[in-house]
Amino acid sequence: MPKKRLRIPEERTHGEPTSVLRRSLIGGIILAVLLAVAGLVAYLNRTQSPPSAKPSPPSQSAQGSSPSPDATDGKGVAVAAPPKTTDPIAFAKAATKVLWTYDTRAFSQSEHLAGLKRWMTGEKKYADWKSITDQVPSPVLWSRMHDNHQHASATVGEGHFPQAFKTALAQDPGAITEAYVYAVTVTGNQTLAWKSSGSGAEARSMTLAVQCRPHQNCALAAVMPNAAP
């Protein structure tokens, strides 16, 4: 099967336009709450029409949660457990690695999603589960990738607060104390492989919304629609 049809970036481009718009709006709302700066919201919330009103599925807290049966299913771990850290950059780098890593040979799409859900914040106001599921191939594509033994690994380079985030936070340091959601941009590489020794790799970057309340482990809130420098 041609490589172009199997790579996750191809799948992401075929998502419903309304889901992309909705994710953009939620990303903008998260940053608006924690920053109250219109400029950064405009940068991350590039929408042209109203988003879908479909609500996000409920999410689990990343603190104190145990692995879902679907996350392991007796075959090992589909997705690594979230780290216990209060450092938003360290957490974002770990989250990026699991978002760029998968193995269709050993796990179903539902098992993979169950593993990712353990990373989510339990605060529904800030959790955008749809932005996470949009990073995962659809069930149909996952099945095709399974037939082709496709799997991916990732190496994470550096993580940093986007300049717009740092600027806005400097202008209003107290704004973050409502949601404690941090924008973090992570760069790295994803390597793909499939049967018959097929392989490919690409450099990638991603901006995540990470919630790190005081005295609590960090949790994933959302993946932003655009990577912020």
Side-chain angles (χ1 to χ4, degrees), residues 126-142:
Y126 305 112
D128 181 12
W129 176 237
K130 186 63 168 60
S131 72
I132 307 304
T133 61
D134 282 350
Q135 306 300 311
V136 179
S138 69
V140 172
L141 181 57
W142 189 281

Side-chain angles (χ1 to χ4, degrees), residues 1 6 13 15 19 39 58 67-68 70-71 75 81 92 99-100 102 108 110 117 140 171 176 178 188-189 196 209:
M1 187 176 294
L6 292 171
T13 61
S19 68
S68 162
D70 282 343
K75 298 181 294 186
L99 287 169
W100 291 349
Y102 62 84
S108 68
S110 62
K117 203 163 191 179
V140 172
Q171 293 173 348
I176 201 169
E178 179 174 342
N189 292 275
S196 301

Side-chain angles (χ1 to χ4, degrees), residues 24-179:
S24 297
L25 182 61
I26 291 178
I29 291 173
I30 291 172
L31 291 179
V33 170
L34 69 96
L35 296 174
V37 176
L40 184 55
V41 175
Y43 180 82
L44 294 175
N45 180 22
R46 298 174 180 175
T47 60
Q48 299 298 325
S49 59
S52 167
K54 183 179 178 181
S56 298
S59 59
Q60 293 177 313
S61 172
Q63 293 82 33
S65 61
S66 58
S68 162
D70 282 343
T72 56
D73 199 31
K75 298 181 294 186
V77 179
V79 176
K84 298 182 184 300
T85 179
T86 57
D87 182 341
I89 292 180
F91 183 90
K93 291 173 69 173
T96 298
K97 185 170 184 177
V98 299
L99 287 169
W100 291 349
T101 302
Y102 62 84
D103 190 346
T104 66
R105 302 168 301 176
F107 302 99
S108 68
Q109 192 230 31
S110 62
E111 289 168 347
H112 185 78
L113 289 175
L116 290 178
K117 203 163 191 179
R118 293 180 296 157
W119 289 69
M120 296 297 293
T121 176
E123 297 186 38
K124 296 179 181 180
K125 181 177 180 181
Y126 305 112
D128 181 12
W129 176 237
K130 186 63 168 60
S131 72
I132 307 304
T133 61
D134 282 350
Q135 306 300 311
V136 179
S138 69
V140 172
L141 181 57
W142 189 281
S143 177
R144 289 165 49 198
M145 293 162 64
H146 168 77
D147 293 340
N148 209 41
H149 301 173
Q150 185 164 329
H151 53 287
S153 60
T155 55
V156 174
E158 64 90 33
H160 64 272
F161 297 127
Q163 186 57 50
F165 177 89
K166 293 189 292 184
T167 299
L169 195 59
Q171 293 173 348
D172 188 0
I176 201 169
T177 59
E178 179 174 342

